Amino acid sequence: MEAVVPEIESVLHETRSFAPSAAFAAASALDSQRLAALRRRAAQDHEGFWAQQAATQLDWQRPFDLTLDDSAAPHYRWFVGGRLNASYNCLDRHLPERAAQDALIFENDDGDVQRWTYAQLHAEVCQLANALRALGIDKGDRVVLYLPMGPQAVMAMQACARIGAIHSVVFGGFSAESLKDRIEDAGARLVITADAAPRGGKRVALKTTVDLALTEGCSSVERVLVYQRLGGCVMDPMRDVWWHDVVPQQPTQCEPEWVESSHPLFLLYTSGSTGRPKGVQHSTGGYLLGATVSMQWVFDLRPGDVFWCTADIGWITGHSYVSYGPLSNGITQLIFEGIPTYPDGERFWRMIAAHKVSIFYTAPTAIRSLMRLGDELPLRHDLSSLRLLGSVGEPINPEAWLWYQRVIGGGRCPIVDTWWQTETGAIMIAPIPGAMATKPGSCTLPLPGICAEIVDEDGQPVTQAGQGGLLVVTKPWPSMLTTVWNNDERFRDTYFGRFGPRVYVAGDGAQRDDDGYFWILGRIDDVLNVSGHRLGTMEVESALAAHEAVAEAAVVGRPHEIKGEAILAFVVVRGSREAALKADLPRELRDWVASRLGAIARPDEIRLVEALPKTRSGKIMRRLLRAVGRGETAAQDTSTLENPAILDQLRGS
Ligand code: ATP
Ligand code: MG
């Protein structure tokens, strides 16, 4: 069980607020009246609300008899008795009306573009699904996907779903060791990979990594299916099969496997920001419903939209808002193989202009790194197609939010800051952009049907504005995880160990303001305790990032004899680190934070570094920084760390 703090004090006072333009609001399907009606309905009858959503938003082969079975709580089962297929809902049901509409627009690392209509995608997914069946894969078998970001990854997820196999996507940047752990934990029979893939101009040798993982263990794996992306890899004739040898000759029709609503759709290991990754298990019906409706509500979908979510399919965001949500809603989306800074820092902006992207969804880490390059790069491109911007993955500091809003959104696009987790399956707290004002740094309000609350150490609701506490969800919701794979106990302990089987504990700290808006303060186990004051890391980091010399900052606590904890800040500066040191920037920054947040939040030490330790999904790994701050050299799980080389620099000084 993670450490729990009774309350967290808020020191950041962000008061700016942005209402959608009248034109935006008028064109939104979900305006404030309709939103209010949805919220009312959900508040009056939680299960009835979700039952109605499920019946109207998804196609069922057999309707469900019972909306929610909570007899084995916290293992909830939604839509009991219902049978459906996720791939049918993402593809087949669109064919009568959208066969010729683009489903995927794919831009590869080199800038070449390929398109798949719904009809083409359906046909190729069916072929792949047939090939998987021919390879002996059945309903319930686990298939690990270790693929580059691209159409084949989406197809592989859809093909697994089509035959009822359970996919587990492992991010293509993970090492053989991490891959092996996940394959073994999942007990996968098949691995789908590519020979190699380009990423930011470099070659990533995926198949070599798979070979390495499999020689070290993974006895459950019988076959490896290899997509040829670049050419040049060694095949094991007994085990490995080329995609092009077994897929294209398959029939382009494939009868979907109709599965129970609670049948596992996929496993996904969490990003490992806080500890050893957990194999989060998601259901078919409940998960798909969450991905489908959240996509409609939060992204305000309209005919003609071109949606672009930059997340890799290795993360939950790539599951819900690349593979399942967009396709289930029948929209057109852009997917991208590469990275934001290759061949240069204009890549994203050039792509938005070229493909006339209307909704853009990315992570604060990308926004901050592109912001650091200056306004001139985005201003060179016509970004007028954009009408809505989104952020996910970490708290977004107000400075980055405002830059995103002003420079990328031209001041006209609402920003949806979406709070959710691998475990929640879909967005939980976020603005409905046509119906609500947004505030920089706040994820605003829970979606209809989502009962998020803030409680104190005893589980009592925190009612006072500005008082922090634990973010919890007090009623089950359809897209919640059903368990941790093979580890019910870890599931119960981690998420329901604190307040019993009815209260999901997210592990994040949060507070509400006078309008009831939620502000995420950071992870509970990252909260600072300075002279008896509990401060969220997010607020101190935001204050630092508001200084013009600061590109990015991470804050941790370090034991202090008198204060309990002292604040240690790691700061990446814009421009030269040497020059900043010479100008005594650390002192200036300490005063700056004190002047903005009060003396209590003044960092004791500011360490200027060239980069922060990040997970592969781009999140700051504070647990590592905390260990560094404490002078610990004890082993930390760094298997999901993006840039291990940075560790020495963080320690030095
Ligand atoms: P692990 O659980 O292995 O430590 P992780 O929590 O980083 O990894 P994810 O499920 O990808 O893995 O991330 C969810 C977490 O990301 C949330 O609990 C929250 O801390 C953070 N987060 C996501 N979106 C937001 C947001 N919009 N605002 C603030 N924090 C966010
Ligand atoms: Mg987590």
Side-chain angles (χ1 to χ4, degrees), residues 103-107 113-114 149 306-310 321-322 332-336 348 351-352 354-357 359-360:
L104 301 181
I105 305 170
F106 173 55
E107 183 165 320
V113 177
Q114 271 177 293
M149 180 61 195
V306 177
F307 177 77
W308 182 17
C309 166
T310 66
Y321 303 106
V322 176
T332 298
Q333 70 171 322
L334 175 63
I335 56 177
F336 175 42
F348 273 10
M351 285 179 62
I352 288 172
H355 300 289
K356 302 220 173 347
V357 171
I359 310 172
F360 180 62

Side-chain angles (χ1 to χ4, degrees), residues 39 294 297-299 321 361 391-393 415-421 424 426-432 436 441-454 470-473 477 479 504 506 508-512 516-521:
R39 289 202 197 285
S294 61
W297 295 342
V298 177
F299 295 112
Y321 303 106
Y361 190 33
S391 170
V392 61
I415 302 219
V416 289
D417 176 4
T418 60
W419 179 86
W420 59 298
Q421 308 176 296
T424 68
I427 295 171
M428 301 289 277
I429 311 182
I432 304 297
M436 290 163 57
S442 167
C443 50
T444 74
L445 297 173
L447 297 187
I450 300 299
C451 302
E453 279 188 42
I454 298 170
L470 307 170
L471 182 57
V472 299
V473 189
W477 68 100
S479 65
Y504 172 86
D508 287 347
Q511 58 149 325
R512 247 173 297 192
Y517 277 26
F518 283 67
W519 298 74
I520 305 297
L521 296 168

Side-chain angles (χ1 to χ4, degrees), residues 300-498:
D300 185 52
L301 299 181
R302 300 177 191 176
D305 268 328
V306 177
F307 177 77
W308 182 17
C309 166
T310 66
D312 191 275
I313 40 101
W315 317 124
I316 187 67
T317 308
H319 284 56
S320 304
Y321 303 106
V322 176
S323 188
Y324 292 106
L327 295 177
S328 172
N329 281 293
I331 65 165
T332 298
Q333 70 171 322
L334 175 63
I335 56 177
F336 175 42
E337 186 172 51
I339 58 171
T341 48
Y342 179 82
D344 55 45
E346 290 170 65
R347 184 70 188 258
F348 273 10
W349 321 131
R350 198 179 290 124
M351 285 179 62
I352 288 172
H355 300 289
K356 302 220 173 347
V357 171
S358 58
I359 310 172
F360 180 62
Y361 190 33
T362 195
T365 180
I367 298 168
R368 285 191 298 258
S369 71
L370 294 169
M371 179 168 89
R372 201 183 308 169
L373 304 179
D375 296 4
E376 201 192 304
L377 303 188
L379 291 177
R380 281 184 199 147
H381 301 273
D382 176 8
L383 304 180
S384 61
S385 58
L386 288 172
R387 61 176 194 83
L388 184 60
L389 301 173
S391 170
V392 61
E394 279 187 297
I396 177 164
N397 51 295
E399 243 22 66
W401 193 105
L402 289 163
W403 182 83
Y404 198 29
Q405 201 259 0
R406 178 176 57 85
V407 179
I408 307 308
R412 97 196 150 264
C413 305
I415 302 219
V416 289
D417 176 4
T418 60
W419 179 86
W420 59 298
Q421 308 176 296
T422 307
E423 296 87 342
T424 68
I427 295 171
M428 301 289 277
I429 311 182
I432 304 297
M436 290 163 57
T438 54
K439 302 180 190 183
S442 167
C443 50
T444 74
L445 297 173
L447 297 187
I450 300 299
C451 302
E453 279 188 42
I454 298 170
V455 299
D456 65 17
E457 200 183 31
D458 303 318
Q460 295 306 311
V462 169
T463 46
Q464 203 186 322
Q467 187 177 328
L470 307 170
L471 182 57
V472 299
V473 189
T474 55
K475 283 192 182 148
W477 68 100
S479 65
M480 68 194 296
L481 77 167
T482 49
T483 190
V484 170
W485 179 253
N486 259 337
N487 203 340
D488 288 348
E489 199 182 321
R490 192 167 181 207
F491 164 73
R492 287 190 296 263
D493 285 357
T494 309
Y495 308 107
F496 297 92
R498 175 100 198 158

